[in-house]
Amino acid sequence: MKKWFISSALTLGLLASLPLAASANSYTIVKGDTLWSIGERYSVSVLDLQKTNDIEGSLIYPGQVLTLPTAVSAEERDLLSRLVHAEAKGEPYEGKVAVATVVLNRVNSSQFPNTIKEVINQSNAFTPVQNGSINKPADQEAKKAVDEAITFGGQGNGSLFFYNPDTATSDWIFSREVITKIGNHNFAK
């Protein structure tokens, strides 16, 4: 009994000395960390990290414990990567990041559904969903663009739409305010 008590006390002591990063909802900063690297590692945006932890700017320090906001799931990341691959094949990398950002901006907008899956599968929202090309695997560049968009989330120009002005047929889309043009796509509010 005495051995069990000593063993249990040692185990509890070891557990108490572990960094708080062991918690699924927190992370203890170590030397060399940045908000960007933490965001990439945990699939959360820098802005969400700042907002959740009441941080202004980018100053963090080793030993500081951050609360991690809700991350994008592996399933959502894969779906978004496949959409980016299908929608922006042949477009510059920056355009791929912007396409992913449009989806994330829609999730954060009250005008659209609240999840990546619901936004992507919204009726008539994305041609690759309609024609089935979303079912093809994403390439590495699309995956990287999605990772960057997730980490960068909330820091873009608020684009909610994108279209190719040479092939678009909807008069409605031409009424949207164009924020930027990247490759063959216009990005609009």
Side-chain angles (χ1 to χ4, degrees), residues 1-2 18 20 53 58 77 92 95 104 116 123-124 128 130 139 142-143 152-153 177 185-186:
M1 181 71 145
K2 189 175 183 180
L18 290 175
L20 294 175
N53 293 284
S58 59
R77 179 187 301 278
L104 298 173
I116 291 171
S123 183
N124 300 318
Q130 296 168 324
D139 63 10
K143 291 176 183 178
F152 190 65
E177 174 191 350
H185 287 134
N186 285 347

Side-chain angles (χ1 to χ4, degrees), residues 12 16 20 23 26 29-30 37 53 68 92 101 103 108 121 131 133 147 149 157 159 162 180 186-187:
L12 286 173
L20 294 175
S23 167
S26 66
I29 296 169
V30 296
S37 67
N53 293 284
L68 297 173
T101 299
V103 173
N108 291 324
N121 290 309
N131 68 22
S133 61
D147 289 344
N157 292 323
S159 298
F162 64 92
T180 192
N186 285 347
F187 292 85

Side-chain angles (χ1 to χ4, degrees), residues 25-150:
N25 297 328
S26 66
Y27 176 76
T28 303
I29 296 169
V30 296
K31 185 177 181 181
D33 277 339
T34 64
L35 290 175
W36 181 265
S37 67
I38 295 166
E40 277 190 316
R41 187 176 316 134
Y42 291 99
S43 298
V44 297
S45 79
V46 171
L47 280 182
D48 286 344
L49 276 169
Q50 290 170 316
K51 200 180 310 175
T52 301
N53 293 284
D54 198 27
I55 297 172
E56 292 184 22
S58 59
L59 182 63
I60 56 175
Y61 55 90
Q64 181 179 3
V65 178
L66 297 180
T67 299
L68 297 173
T70 304
V72 175
S73 72
E75 178 187 349
E76 290 173 316
R77 179 187 301 278
D78 176 62
L79 180 63
L80 184 53
S81 295
R82 289 185 284 123
L83 178 76
V84 168
H85 179 74
E87 281 283 9
K89 190 180 253 184
E91 293 294 320
Y93 176 76
E94 180 185 8
K96 293 175 181 177
V97 173
V99 166
T101 299
V102 164
V103 173
L104 298 173
N105 287 345
R106 287 184 179 192
V107 170
N108 291 324
S109 168
S110 61
Q111 300 172 39
F112 295 92
N114 296 324
T115 68
I116 291 171
K117 184 177 181 180
E118 290 171 331
V119 165
I120 290 173
N121 290 309
Q122 192 173 20
S123 183
N124 300 318
F126 298 101
T127 303
V129 174
Q130 296 168 324
N131 68 22
S133 61
I134 194 169
N135 297 318
K136 295 179 183 172
D139 63 10
Q140 283 307 115
E141 189 171 63
K143 291 176 183 178
K144 182 180 175 189
V146 166
D147 289 344
E148 185 170 329
I150 290 168

